[in-house]
mmCIF file of all heavy atoms in Angstrom:
data_model
loop_
_atom_site.group_PDB
_atom_site.id
_atom_site.type_symbol
_atom_site.label_atom_id
_atom_site.label_comp_id
_atom_site.label_asym_id
_atom_site.label_seq_id
_atom_site.Cartn_x
_atom_site.Cartn_y
_atom_site.Cartn_z
ATOM 1 N N TYR A 1 0.838 -1.217 0.013
ATOM 2 C CA TYR A 1 0.000 0.005 -0.006
ATOM 3 C C TYR A 1 0.845 1.253 0.007
ATOM 4 O O TYR A 1 1.961 1.284 0.596
ATOM 5 C CB TYR A 1 -0.958 0.008 1.175
ATOM 6 C CG TYR A 1 -0.341 -0.215 2.562
ATOM 7 C CD1 TYR A 1 0.052 0.893 3.313
ATOM 8 C CD2 TYR A 1 -0.107 -1.487 3.023
ATOM 9 C CE1 TYR A 1 0.654 0.695 4.572
ATOM 10 C CE2 TYR A 1 0.451 -1.683 4.298
ATOM 11 C CZ TYR A 1 0.853 -0.605 5.044
ATOM 12 O OH TYR A 1 1.447 -0.790 6.284
ATOM 13 N N ARG A 2 0.364 2.280 -0.673
ATOM 14 C CA ARG A 2 1.146 3.500 -0.833
ATOM 15 C C ARG A 2 1.056 4.458 0.367
ATOM 16 O O ARG A 2 1.974 5.180 0.637
ATOM 17 C CB ARG A 2 0.705 4.251 -2.103
ATOM 18 C CG ARG A 2 -0.771 4.684 -2.083
ATOM 19 C CD ARG A 2 -1.174 5.383 -3.360
ATOM 20 N NE ARG A 2 -1.484 4.418 -4.417
ATOM 21 C CZ ARG A 2 -1.924 4.769 -5.608
ATOM 22 N NH1 ARG A 2 -2.076 6.050 -5.927
ATOM 23 N NH2 ARG A 2 -2.222 3.856 -6.520
ATOM 24 N N ASP A 3 -0.041 4.388 1.104
ATOM 25 C CA ASP A 3 -0.159 5.127 2.361
ATOM 26 C C ASP A 3 -1.188 4.439 3.221
ATOM 27 O O ASP A 3 -1.806 3.451 2.828
ATOM 28 C CB ASP A 3 -0.497 6.590 2.117
ATOM 29 C CG ASP A 3 -1.815 6.792 1.366
ATOM 30 O OD1 ASP A 3 -2.784 6.061 1.636
ATOM 31 O OD2 ASP A 3 -1.881 7.721 0.511
ATOM 32 N N GLU A 4 -1.425 4.964 4.403
ATOM 33 C CA GLU A 4 -2.270 4.297 5.372
ATOM 34 C C GLU A 4 -3.715 4.135 4.884
ATOM 35 O O GLU A 4 -4.363 3.110 5.160
ATOM 36 C CB GLU A 4 -2.248 5.049 6.711
ATOM 37 C CG GLU A 4 -0.918 4.933 7.418
ATOM 38 C CD GLU A 4 -0.946 5.574 8.821
ATOM 39 O OE1 GLU A 4 -2.004 6.083 9.207
ATOM 40 O OE2 GLU A 4 0.099 5.504 9.479
ATOM 41 N N ASP A 5 -4.225 5.122 4.151
ATOM 42 C CA ASP A 5 -5.584 5.005 3.663
ATOM 43 C C ASP A 5 -5.766 3.831 2.755
ATOM 44 O O ASP A 5 -6.792 3.146 2.737
ATOM 45 C CB ASP A 5 -5.971 6.301 2.873
ATOM 46 C CG ASP A 5 -6.236 7.468 3.772
ATOM 47 O OD1 ASP A 5 -6.403 7.230 5.003
ATOM 48 O OD2 ASP A 5 -6.222 8.604 3.308
ATOM 49 N N TYR A 6 -4.692 3.526 1.958
ATOM 50 C CA TYR A 6 -4.764 2.381 1.025
ATOM 51 C C TYR A 6 -4.567 1.032 1.746
ATOM 52 O O TYR A 6 -4.719 -0.003 1.123
ATOM 53 C CB TYR A 6 -3.729 2.564 -0.083
ATOM 54 C CG TYR A 6 -4.216 3.430 -1.233
ATOM 55 C CD1 TYR A 6 -4.092 4.818 -1.129
ATOM 56 C CD2 TYR A 6 -4.756 2.888 -2.384
ATOM 57 C CE1 TYR A 6 -4.540 5.654 -2.168
ATOM 58 C CE2 TYR A 6 -5.200 3.713 -3.391
ATOM 59 C CZ TYR A 6 -5.122 5.070 -3.283
ATOM 60 O OH TYR A 6 -5.556 5.901 -4.286
ATOM 61 N N ALA A 7 -4.246 1.075 3.017
ATOM 62 C CA ALA A 7 -4.198 -0.161 3.819
ATOM 63 C C ALA A 7 -5.507 -0.405 4.523
ATOM 64 O O ALA A 7 -5.897 -1.550 4.707
ATOM 65 C CB ALA A 7 -3.076 -0.056 4.819
ATOM 66 N N ILE A 8 -6.199 0.683 4.828
ATOM 67 C CA ILE A 8 -7.389 0.589 5.696
ATOM 68 C C ILE A 8 -8.652 0.542 4.910
ATOM 69 O O ILE A 8 -9.584 -0.216 5.222
ATOM 70 C CB ILE A 8 -7.420 1.777 6.699
ATOM 71 C CG1 ILE A 8 -6.228 1.638 7.658
ATOM 72 C CG2 ILE A 8 -8.728 1.802 7.432
ATOM 73 C CD1 ILE A 8 -6.024 2.896 8.534
ATOM 74 N N ASN A 9 -8.781 1.417 3.890
ATOM 75 C CA ASN A 9 -10.029 1.623 3.175
ATOM 76 C C ASN A 9 -10.292 0.540 2.114
ATOM 77 O O ASN A 9 -9.572 0.508 1.115
ATOM 78 C CB ASN A 9 -10.029 3.009 2.556
ATOM 79 C CG ASN A 9 -11.338 3.442 1.943
ATOM 80 O OD1 ASN A 9 -12.030 2.609 1.362
ATOM 81 N ND2 ASN A 9 -11.662 4.695 2.068
ATOM 82 N N PRO A 10 -11.306 -0.271 2.247
ATOM 83 C CA PRO A 10 -11.571 -1.347 1.282
ATOM 84 C C PRO A 10 -11.797 -0.821 -0.127
ATOM 85 O O PRO A 10 -11.433 -1.475 -1.105
ATOM 86 C CB PRO A 10 -12.775 -2.068 1.814
ATOM 87 C CG PRO A 10 -12.813 -1.818 3.264
ATOM 88 C CD PRO A 10 -12.225 -0.432 3.420
ATOM 89 N N ASP A 11 -12.416 0.390 -0.270
ATOM 90 C CA ASP A 11 -12.625 0.904 -1.619
ATOM 91 C C ASP A 11 -11.330 1.294 -2.288
ATOM 92 O O ASP A 11 -11.168 1.047 -3.500
ATOM 93 C CB ASP A 11 -13.517 2.216 -1.498
ATOM 94 C CG ASP A 11 -14.951 1.911 -1.074
ATOM 95 O OD1 ASP A 11 -15.452 0.804 -1.416
ATOM 96 O OD2 ASP A 11 -15.544 2.729 -0.401
ATOM 97 N N LEU A 12 -10.348 1.815 -1.553
ATOM 98 C CA LEU A 12 -9.064 2.159 -2.117
ATOM 99 C C LEU A 12 -8.273 0.909 -2.423
ATOM 100 O O LEU A 12 -7.516 0.883 -3.416
ATOM 101 C CB LEU A 12 -8.276 3.088 -1.187
ATOM 102 C CG LEU A 12 -8.899 4.486 -0.979
ATOM 103 C CD1 LEU A 12 -8.060 5.255 0.030
ATOM 104 C CD2 LEU A 12 -8.962 5.241 -2.299
ATOM 105 N N ILE A 13 -8.381 -0.116 -1.573
ATOM 106 C CA ILE A 13 -7.701 -1.376 -1.806
ATOM 107 C C ILE A 13 -8.247 -2.014 -3.104
ATOM 108 O O ILE A 13 -7.514 -2.496 -3.944
ATOM 109 C CB ILE A 13 -7.847 -2.337 -0.631
ATOM 110 C CG1 ILE A 13 -7.209 -1.737 0.635
ATOM 111 C CG2 ILE A 13 -7.273 -3.736 -0.954
ATOM 112 C CD1 ILE A 13 -7.569 -2.493 1.894
ATOM 113 N N GLU A 14 -9.553 -1.940 -3.284
ATOM 114 C CA GLU A 14 -10.189 -2.425 -4.485
ATOM 115 C C GLU A 14 -9.642 -1.708 -5.721
ATOM 116 O O GLU A 14 -9.319 -2.333 -6.763
ATOM 117 C CB GLU A 14 -11.704 -2.246 -4.424
ATOM 118 C CG GLU A 14 -12.470 -2.699 -5.642
ATOM 119 C CD GLU A 14 -13.965 -2.327 -5.560
ATOM 120 O OE1 GLU A 14 -14.318 -1.416 -4.813
ATOM 121 O OE2 GLU A 14 -14.709 -3.032 -6.245
ATOM 122 N N GLU A 15 -9.554 -0.389 -5.613
ATOM 123 C CA GLU A 15 -9.034 0.409 -6.724
ATOM 124 C C GLU A 15 -7.595 -0.014 -7.080
ATOM 125 O O GLU A 15 -7.229 -0.139 -8.249
ATOM 126 C CB GLU A 15 -9.056 1.895 -6.298
ATOM 127 C CG GLU A 15 -8.418 2.895 -7.269
ATOM 128 C CD GLU A 15 -8.320 4.243 -6.601
ATOM 129 O OE1 GLU A 15 -9.312 4.810 -6.135
ATOM 130 O OE2 GLU A 15 -7.191 4.779 -6.600
ATOM 131 N N GLU A 16 -6.815 -0.227 -6.053
ATOM 132 C CA GLU A 16 -5.387 -0.571 -6.241
ATOM 133 C C GLU A 16 -5.214 -1.969 -6.894
ATOM 134 O O GLU A 16 -4.281 -2.185 -7.729
ATOM 135 C CB GLU A 16 -4.648 -0.543 -4.914
ATOM 136 C CG GLU A 16 -3.149 -0.697 -5.019
ATOM 137 C CD GLU A 16 -2.440 0.515 -5.596
ATOM 138 O OE1 GLU A 16 -3.029 1.613 -5.623
ATOM 139 O OE2 GLU A 16 -1.298 0.345 -6.029
ATOM 140 N N TYR A 17 -6.072 -2.908 -6.573
ATOM 141 C CA TYR A 17 -5.851 -4.312 -6.997
ATOM 142 C C TYR A 17 -6.825 -4.733 -8.123
ATOM 143 O O TYR A 17 -6.803 -5.933 -8.467
ATOM 144 C CB TYR A 17 -5.974 -5.248 -5.807
ATOM 145 C CG TYR A 17 -4.675 -5.264 -5.013
ATOM 146 C CD1 TYR A 17 -4.500 -4.310 -3.969
ATOM 147 C CD2 TYR A 17 -3.622 -6.102 -5.312
ATOM 148 C CE1 TYR A 17 -3.319 -4.298 -3.270
ATOM 149 C CE2 TYR A 17 -2.455 -6.089 -4.616
ATOM 150 C CZ TYR A 17 -2.272 -5.159 -3.590
ATOM 151 O OH TYR A 17 -1.110 -5.125 -2.921
ATOM 152 N N GLU A 18 -7.588 -3.825 -8.635
ATOM 153 C CA GLU A 18 -8.612 -4.168 -9.600
ATOM 154 C C GLU A 18 -8.090 -4.958 -10.797
ATOM 155 O O GLU A 18 -8.682 -5.896 -11.270
ATOM 156 C CB GLU A 18 -9.321 -2.903 -10.105
ATOM 157 C CG GLU A 18 -10.521 -3.172 -10.971
ATOM 158 C CD GLU A 18 -11.315 -1.902 -11.254
ATOM 159 O OE1 GLU A 18 -10.875 -0.812 -10.895
ATOM 160 O OE2 GLU A 18 -12.407 -2.064 -11.836
ATOM 161 N N ALA A 19 -6.898 -4.592 -11.282
ATOM 162 C CA ALA A 19 -6.316 -5.238 -12.484
ATOM 163 C C ALA A 19 -5.331 -6.330 -12.122
ATOM 164 O O ALA A 19 -4.678 -6.877 -12.977
ATOM 165 C CB ALA A 19 -5.700 -4.186 -13.359
ATOM 166 N N LYS A 20 -5.204 -6.589 -10.813
ATOM 167 C CA LYS A 20 -4.097 -7.512 -10.415
ATOM 168 C C LYS A 20 -4.611 -8.851 -9.895
ATOM 169 O O LYS A 20 -3.838 -9.837 -9.938
ATOM 170 C CB LYS A 20 -3.254 -6.817 -9.305
ATOM 171 C CG LYS A 20 -2.543 -5.575 -9.760
ATOM 172 C CD LYS A 20 -1.879 -4.896 -8.614
ATOM 173 C CE LYS A 20 -1.253 -3.546 -9.011
ATOM 174 N NZ LYS A 20 -0.709 -2.778 -7.859
ATOM 175 N N VAL A 21 -5.802 -8.931 -9.355
ATOM 176 C CA VAL A 21 -6.303 -10.168 -8.774
ATOM 177 C C VAL A 21 -7.649 -10.520 -9.424
ATOM 178 O O VAL A 21 -8.244 -9.750 -10.158
ATOM 179 C CB VAL A 21 -6.460 -10.055 -7.268
ATOM 180 C CG1 VAL A 21 -5.091 -9.740 -6.624
ATOM 181 C CG2 VAL A 21 -7.471 -9.045 -6.840
ATOM 182 N N ASP A 22 -8.126 -11.715 -9.146
ATOM 183 C CA ASP A 22 -9.349 -12.195 -9.762
ATOM 184 C C ASP A 22 -10.601 -11.851 -8.949
ATOM 185 O O ASP A 22 -11.707 -11.705 -9.490
ATOM 186 C CB ASP A 22 -9.280 -13.715 -9.904
ATOM 187 C CG ASP A 22 -8.093 -14.157 -10.733
ATOM 188 O OD1 ASP A 22 -8.100 -13.839 -11.942
ATOM 189 O OD2 ASP A 22 -7.159 -14.742 -10.168
ATOM 190 N N LEU A 23 -10.436 -11.686 -7.653
ATOM 191 C CA LEU A 23 -11.582 -11.458 -6.753
ATOM 192 C C LEU A 23 -11.122 -10.723 -5.536
ATOM 193 O O LEU A 23 -10.028 -10.969 -5.029
ATOM 194 C CB LEU A 23 -12.247 -12.793 -6.385
ATOM 195 C CG LEU A 23 -13.529 -12.717 -5.557
ATOM 196 C CD1 LEU A 23 -14.446 -13.924 -5.969
ATOM 197 C CD2 LEU A 23 -13.237 -12.828 -4.053
ATOM 198 N N MET A 24 -11.964 -9.822 -5.032
ATOM 199 C CA MET A 24 -11.690 -9.128 -3.761
ATOM 200 C C MET A 24 -12.884 -9.288 -2.861
ATOM 201 O O MET A 24 -14.060 -9.098 -3.276
ATOM 202 C CB MET A 24 -11.383 -7.675 -3.963
ATOM 203 C CG MET A 24 -11.206 -6.952 -2.627
ATOM 204 S SD MET A 24 -10.757 -5.241 -2.706
ATOM 205 C CE MET A 24 -10.926 -4.783 -0.977
ATOM 206 N N ILE A 25 -12.598 -9.632 -1.616
ATOM 207 C CA ILE A 25 -13.622 -9.618 -0.558
ATOM 208 C C ILE A 25 -13.536 -8.306 0.178
ATOM 209 O O ILE A 25 -12.471 -8.003 0.769
ATOM 210 C CB ILE A 25 -13.401 -10.790 0.423
ATOM 211 C CG1 ILE A 25 -13.516 -12.132 -0.309
ATOM 212 C CG2 ILE A 25 -14.451 -10.695 1.547
ATOM 213 C CD1 ILE A 25 -13.141 -13.303 0.556
ATOM 214 N N LYS A 26 -14.556 -7.488 0.116
ATOM 215 C CA LYS A 26 -14.606 -6.288 0.847
ATOM 216 C C LYS A 26 -15.332 -6.536 2.152
ATOM 217 O O LYS A 26 -16.500 -6.888 2.165
ATOM 218 C CB LYS A 26 -15.305 -5.171 0.068
ATOM 219 C CG LYS A 26 -14.525 -4.724 -1.156
ATOM 220 C CD LYS A 26 -15.331 -3.724 -2.026
ATOM 221 C CE LYS A 26 -15.412 -2.386 -1.387
ATOM 222 N NZ LYS A 26 -16.066 -1.411 -2.339
ATOM 223 N N GLY A 27 -14.603 -6.376 3.250
ATOM 224 C CA GLY A 27 -15.183 -6.579 4.554
ATOM 225 C C GLY A 27 -14.979 -5.354 5.444
ATOM 226 O O GLY A 27 -15.009 -4.222 4.986
ATOM 227 N N GLU A 28 -14.703 -5.628 6.691
ATOM 228 C CA GLU A 28 -14.432 -4.540 7.617
ATOM 229 C C GLU A 28 -13.168 -3.785 7.189
ATOM 230 O O GLU A 28 -12.311 -4.334 6.480
ATOM 231 C CB GLU A 28 -14.270 -5.117 9.056
ATOM 232 C CG GLU A 28 -15.576 -5.575 9.675
ATOM 233 C CD GLU A 28 -16.055 -6.924 9.195
ATOM 234 O OE1 GLU A 28 -15.322 -7.630 8.488
ATOM 235 O OE2 GLU A 28 -17.190 -7.280 9.520
ATOM 236 N N PRO A 29 -13.006 -2.546 7.658
ATOM 237 C CA PRO A 29 -11.751 -1.780 7.326
ATOM 238 C C PRO A 29 -10.559 -2.571 7.806
ATOM 239 O O PRO A 29 -10.592 -3.303 8.801
ATOM 240 C CB PRO A 29 -11.929 -0.486 8.121
ATOM 241 C CG PRO A 29 -13.397 -0.328 8.270
ATOM 242 C CD PRO A 29 -13.962 -1.679 8.423
ATOM 243 N N GLY A 30 -9.431 -2.379 7.030
ATOM 244 C CA GLY A 30 -8.217 -3.055 7.435
ATOM 245 C C GLY A 30 -7.547 -2.380 8.612
ATOM 246 O O GLY A 30 -7.961 -1.295 9.064
ATOM 247 N N LYS A 31 -6.502 -3.023 9.093
ATOM 248 C CA LYS A 31 -5.691 -2.468 10.194
ATOM 249 C C LYS A 31 -4.247 -2.275 9.735
ATOM 250 O O LYS A 31 -3.940 -2.767 8.652
ATOM 251 C CB LYS A 31 -5.763 -3.386 11.417
ATOM 252 C CG LYS A 31 -7.200 -3.479 11.963
ATOM 253 C CD LYS A 31 -7.258 -4.535 13.120
ATOM 254 C CE LYS A 31 -8.685 -4.681 13.561
ATOM 255 N NZ LYS A 31 -8.838 -5.757 14.572
ATOM 256 N N LEU A 32 -3.492 -1.580 10.521
ATOM 257 C CA LEU A 32 -2.113 -1.229 10.079
ATOM 258 C C LEU A 32 -1.027 -2.103 10.740
ATOM 259 O O LEU A 32 0.068 -2.195 10.205
ATOM 260 C CB LEU A 32 -1.870 0.234 10.391
ATOM 261 C CG LEU A 32 -2.568 1.248 9.493
ATOM 262 C CD1 LEU A 32 -2.377 2.636 10.038
ATOM 263 C CD2 LEU A 32 -2.048 1.188 8.072
ATOM 264 N N THR A 33 -1.351 -2.660 11.883
ATOM 265 C CA THR A 33 -0.331 -3.450 12.598
ATOM 266 C C THR A 33 -0.347 -4.889 12.154
ATOM 267 O O THR A 33 -1.410 -5.533 12.247
ATOM 268 C CB THR A 33 -0.564 -3.392 14.104
ATOM 269 O OG1 THR A 33 -0.641 -2.022 14.530
ATOM 270 C CG2 THR A 33 0.570 -4.060 14.866
ATOM 271 N N PRO A 34 0.784 -5.418 11.626
ATOM 272 C CA PRO A 34 0.789 -6.823 11.180
ATOM 273 C C PRO A 34 0.756 -7.792 12.410
ATOM 274 O O PRO A 34 0.878 -7.340 13.564
ATOM 275 C CB PRO A 34 2.091 -6.936 10.455
ATOM 276 C CG PRO A 34 2.949 -5.863 11.021
ATOM 277 C CD PRO A 34 2.055 -4.739 11.426
ATOM 278 N N SER A 35 0.576 -9.047 12.116
ATOM 279 C CA SER A 35 0.543 -10.018 13.195
ATOM 280 C C SER A 35 1.909 -10.114 13.938
ATOM 281 O O SER A 35 2.983 -9.823 13.362
ATOM 282 C CB SER A 35 0.216 -11.407 12.636
ATOM 283 O OG SER A 35 1.206 -11.836 11.767
ATOM 284 N N ALA A 36 1.835 -10.520 15.180
ATOM 285 C CA ALA A 36 3.063 -10.830 15.906
ATOM 286 C C ALA A 36 3.664 -12.114 15.256
ATOM 287 O O ALA A 36 2.940 -12.943 14.739
ATOM 288 C CB ALA A 36 2.739 -11.089 17.390
ATOM 289 N N ILE A 37 5.005 -12.211 15.333
ATOM 290 C CA ILE A 37 5.654 -13.434 14.871
ATOM 291 C C ILE A 37 6.290 -14.118 16.055
ATOM 292 O O ILE A 37 7.064 -13.534 16.815
ATOM 293 C CB ILE A 37 6.725 -13.141 13.807
ATOM 294 C CG1 ILE A 37 6.117 -12.523 12.573
ATOM 295 C CG2 ILE A 37 7.520 -14.373 13.462
ATOM 296 C CD1 ILE A 37 7.088 -12.106 11.500
#
């Protein structure tokens, strides 16, 4: 993602990946902190 909005906002994520993937599930807004390892 290019900035935080493109990580959180499903509409912006859809815009970014429209030509790259076959299907997108739009659900709750994303978060910024990755999982613990």
Side-chain angles (χ1 to χ4, degrees):
Y1 53 93
R2 61 182 81 177
D3 58 40
E4 291 186 0
D5 286 343
Y6 277 84
I8 294 170
N9 187 322
D11 291 329
L12 294 177
I13 297 168
E14 177 186 25
E15 175 190 305
E16 187 71 19
Y17 280 90
E18 188 171 7
K20 298 175 184 174
V21 301
D22 302 293
L23 184 147
M24 176 177 171
I25 299 172
K26 290 174 74 173
E28 287 79 8
K31 296 175 183 174
L32 288 170
T33 307
S35 64
I37 296 177

